[in-house]
Structure formats: structure tokens, C-alpha cells
Amino acid sequence: MRISTRAERIEPFYVMEVAKAAGKLAREVAHTDRPMIFLNIGEPDFTAPPLVQEAAARAVRAGATQYTQATGLDHLRERISQWYRDRFGVDVPARRIVVTAGASAALQLACLTLIEAGDEILLPDPSYPCNRHFVSAAEGKAVLIPTTAEERFQLSADKVEAAWTDKTRGVLLASPSNPTGTSIARDELRRIHEVVSSRGGITLIDEIYLGLSYDDAYGQTALAIDDNVISINSFSKYFNMTGWRLGWLVVPDVLVPVVERLAQNLFICASTVAQYAALACFEAESIAEYERRRGEFKARRDWFIPQLEALGLPVPVVPDGAFYAWADCSGLAARLGISGSWDFAFEAMKRAHVAVTPGRDFGTAETARFVRFSTASSMAHLEEAIGRLRGLAG
């Protein structure tokens, strides 16, 4: 059977390939004294708090399970709008917010709305692999621009300007970023947008980890810069609703009917039950719990990264958000007689029963030197993982 060239362009999601191998080994060692510890997947160990669960149950009991409009429940759009006002002091009208089937659907809708075949979108290297694959699925071309630790593994206005060609359509950024947990400084983000806007381009920004910012110097939405910035967000990370598949997209007014038309045809709407549940995310009790959990994520970061450093796994830039540590494993890999992060990940999996993510997914700019640790697991798991890695390192 003939496979489309579009599908052939999409590389495997190596994070999940490693996860499958780890899952297989985990079943074999599940009943031993060293079961698998998963530090490879970016999923909070916290689940939706009680008010959110109760709201979902009420919706089911009330029969509130039928389609909503493609843009989402009006009340939910209003609550998201209020969240921007309360948390960031930014006015984002509800009419510009489209509720989506996860951030993945938001990215797909944004790319299909704005990218023509052959358009080039600039992204930092390293960056989350699915972001560039959404560009490719829309017939565009993702152009990865190597970044360095000195640049916080983020694009700069100078690099965007230097890379711009007559095929460039815009940029796709992430702040905080997966895999590095680093954000773009506000002034630099403004300069990037000015470069893009001056060329008639688009600024797309993935802000799904924005709620999990730990540094006031970075924890501001790009929507504060300009109404033409397009932001992708999610209920998965800060709001701990990964499997509920609910996100949102903020677009300029002129794009709302276009995105709505695409959403009607591609998705009909986001999960109705998840939308009713998400209304409870913004209750004072829920926000207090999310903030407590944010503090826990920060505490895990503050403990875990020095432990990695002591093992010979330096983290060149301390993440200011999310729940990742982007660690250079090249020195430790050499001591173990192996080459690169791919082999290191499998060595850690087999010998220490600790699953981590090799850098292969995230680009080609020295990513073979790096592994991504997720600190979304409990402190007990992080402590046990460090103990096992210490044994691996000798």
C-alpha cells in the first residue's frame, strides 16, 4: 500500500520508542527490589485535584456530554480569559480563545491556518520534536537553528534575522521549553517578534509550561507583547490533566473564524466532559493546590540538579520552568565506555532500571551529548534514581 510522503516525513517519536523498551523491561523487573523508575516521560505524577474530578462526575451525571461549539464552552473561554488577567495582568478577550483537544490540536490548527506548502518555520535546536512535525504535516519545512547554553538554548533576534529567507514564514518558539526547561527573556522575545513582524511573519509560541515558571524574570506570557502573537497552551502540565486532552489556542480576532471552521471539520469540539471539569481548575481551592504543587516541582528541581552535577551529569542551564533537566552525559558515558546519550539511556535502563530520554528526538545540535530527565516524579523516586545512578557511575 502506498504511504503518503507527508507521513514518511514524520520521524518516529523516539521518546516513545525508549518508553516501549523501558515498559518491556519494567514488566520483567516489576516484582524485584529494583522496579523501573520512569524519568523519561513529561507527565506530572499529580492528577486532577478533587474539585476537577467532582466537576467531571457532575457533568456525566447531568448528561452534559454532548457536543459543544467548536471554539469551546463560552464559560470556559471566559475563565481562561480571567486567568490571564489574574495571573499575568494581561487582557486576552474570551472571543480570541479557542478551546482545543489538547495543545496538539491547537498546534495543528495554527499550522494548518497559517502555513502554505514550502513555507519555512524557524525553531531552536534543541526543541520538542512534535512541534516541527506539525509544521511538516502542514506541508511546511521546519528549519532548526542551533542554540547554545549561553543563549539558554533559545533563539535570539539576531539568529532569527540571520536565518530569515524569502521562504521563511515565521518562528515557532517554546517558553519554557521542552527539553531544557528554559525560557526566553522578555526583552529578547519582544525583539524576536519585532524582527518577525517587520517581515510580515508569524510568531507562534508554545506556552504549555508557562504556569510552571519559577523565576519572575521569565514567567510572563508572550501575549503581553502584541495581539498578533499566537499562543498555544494546555491543561496538561500546570493543571495536571494530561489524559483529559484539553488545551487552548489564542489567536488574533481575524483568525478566529478560520480556526473555528477548521476545528469544526477536524475535531467537532474538544471533550465536553473535560471542558466542564476544567471549569473547576480556576476555583480558588484548585489554584491553591496547583500553586502548592508548583512549589513541589521547584523543590524537586532544586534537589535533583545538584545531585546530577555531583554524578558527572552537568546541567549547563538551570531550568527556570517546566520539570526537566537537560544534562550532558558525554563525560559519564565515556567513563562507562559507551558513546552518546542513546547508548547511555539504554545503559541506565538496563543496569540501573532508570528510564531517561536521549537527546536524539530534540534535534541535531550536539543533542547526542544530552539526556533529558523528567523531575515530574515523586521525590522518593528521584532519590532512589540518584542512588542507582550513583552505583552506575561507580
Side-chain angles (χ1 to χ4, degrees):
M1 185 176 292
R2 190 184 72 183
I3 306 298
S4 72
T5 55
R6 180 187 305 106
E8 294 288 2
R9 284 197 300 270
I10 306 299
E11 302 170 44
F13 194 3
Y14 293 108
V15 169
M16 304 313 294
E17 295 298 311
V18 173
K20 285 193 291 186
K24 181 176 184 296
L25 181 58
R27 289 189 291 272
E28 297 172 6
V29 301
H31 302 295
T32 72
D33 60 353
R34 283 162 60 90
M36 186 68 68
I37 296 175
F38 293 93
L39 304 185
N40 56 325
I41 303 297
E43 181 171 37
D45 59 329
F46 300 115
T47 58
L51 289 184
V52 176
Q53 297 179 39
E54 291 163 11
R58 282 198 306 272
V60 172
R61 288 195 298 267
T65 57
Q66 296 177 311
Y67 297 138
T68 70
Q69 62 188 20
T71 52
L73 291 171
D74 285 337
H75 191 25
L76 181 56
R77 297 164 79 194
E78 290 286 355
R79 296 302 294 269
I80 295 170
S81 175
Q82 184 64 49
W83 188 68
Y84 279 111
R85 284 192 292 273
D86 293 345
R87 184 152 188 130
F88 305 109
V90 176
D91 181 25
V92 180
R95 67 177 184 273
R96 292 176 48 210
I97 298 168
V98 178
V99 179
T100 60
S104 296
L107 272 163
Q108 183 178 1
L109 289 167
C111 289
L112 291 175
T113 298
L114 295 163
I115 296 173
E116 296 277 13
D119 284 348
E120 295 184 352
I121 302 293
L122 309 180
L123 297 89
D125 187 346
S127 59
Y128 184 57
C130 295
N131 287 5
R132 66 178 185 267
H133 295 328
F134 281 115
V135 172
S136 181
E139 305 294 335
K141 179 181 178 183
V143 177
L144 293 177
I145 300 175
T147 62
T148 65
E150 290 71 28
E151 299 166 315
R152 302 182 58 77
F153 299 112
Q154 293 282 2
L155 291 185
S156 65
D158 288 345
K159 281 196 168 178
V160 170
E161 190 166 23
W164 202 278
T165 72
D166 58 359
K167 294 182 179 180
T168 306
R169 179 72 176 107
V171 296
L172 174 49
L173 313 169
S175 186
S177 167
N178 178 1
T180 65
T182 63
S183 299
I184 308 171
R186 295 178 192 179
D187 290 346
E188 193 62 37
L189 185 55
R190 186 179 298 277
R191 284 191 288 269
I192 291 172
H193 181 61
E194 288 171 353
V195 169
V196 172
S197 297
S198 69
R199 287 156 176 76
I202 53 173
T203 300
L204 295 164
I205 184 158
D206 170 351
E207 296 190 313
I208 71 173
Y209 295 100
L210 184 62
L212 293 175
S213 292
Y214 313 118
D215 188 332
D216 290 342
Y218 299 103
Q220 179 59 270
T221 175
L223 295 169
I225 294 173
D226 183 10
D227 287 353
N228 287 320
V229 169
I230 295 165
S231 173
I232 293 94
N233 217 312
S234 173
F235 284 93
S236 290
K237 310 303 181 178
Y238 176 74
F239 295 103
N240 305 152
M241 294 178 69
T242 50
W244 302 69
R245 305 316 303 136
L246 195 65
W248 72 87
L249 179 66
V250 182
V251 296
D253 282 303
V254 68
L255 294 183
V256 173
V258 183
V259 171
E260 180 178 16
R261 185 171 70 246
L262 286 171
Q264 287 169 337
N265 283 276
L266 294 176
F267 303 104
I268 301 180
C269 66
S271 162
T272 302
V273 172
Q275 290 187 65
Y276 278 108
L279 288 169
C281 289
F282 303 100
E283 297 295 330
E285 180 181 327
S286 297
I287 292 294
E289 176 61 14
Y290 288 132
E291 286 301 289
R292 185 195 69 78
R293 294 175 180 186
R294 183 169 71 102
E296 176 64 20
F297 283 130
K298 181 179 182 296
R300 294 174 186 180
R301 178 202 69 171
D302 292 345
W303 182 85
F304 191 70
I305 288 178
Q307 300 298 320
L308 289 180
E309 300 268 356
L311 290 176
L313 291 164
V315 178
V317 186
V318 176
D320 58 83
F323 37 61
Y324 301 114
W326 185 239
D328 187 342
C329 70
S330 56
L332 182 52
R335 283 164 47 197
L336 294 172
I338 56 178
S339 175
S341 63
W342 184 261
D343 290 345
F344 177 84
F346 279 88
E347 196 77 2
M349 184 193 309
K350 292 173 183 175
R351 291 176 53 184
H353 297 170
V354 176
V356 301
T357 298
R360 183 174 181 177
D361 259 326
F362 303 103
T364 59
E366 296 195 327
T367 52
R369 297 171 58 93
F370 288 89
V371 288
R372 189 197 71 181
F373 290 87
S374 169
T375 54
S377 293
S378 69
M379 186 67 83
H381 280 169
L382 296 177
E383 291 171 349
E384 175 66 17
I386 288 295
R388 294 187 194 176
L389 292 171
R390 190 176 292 121
L392 178 68

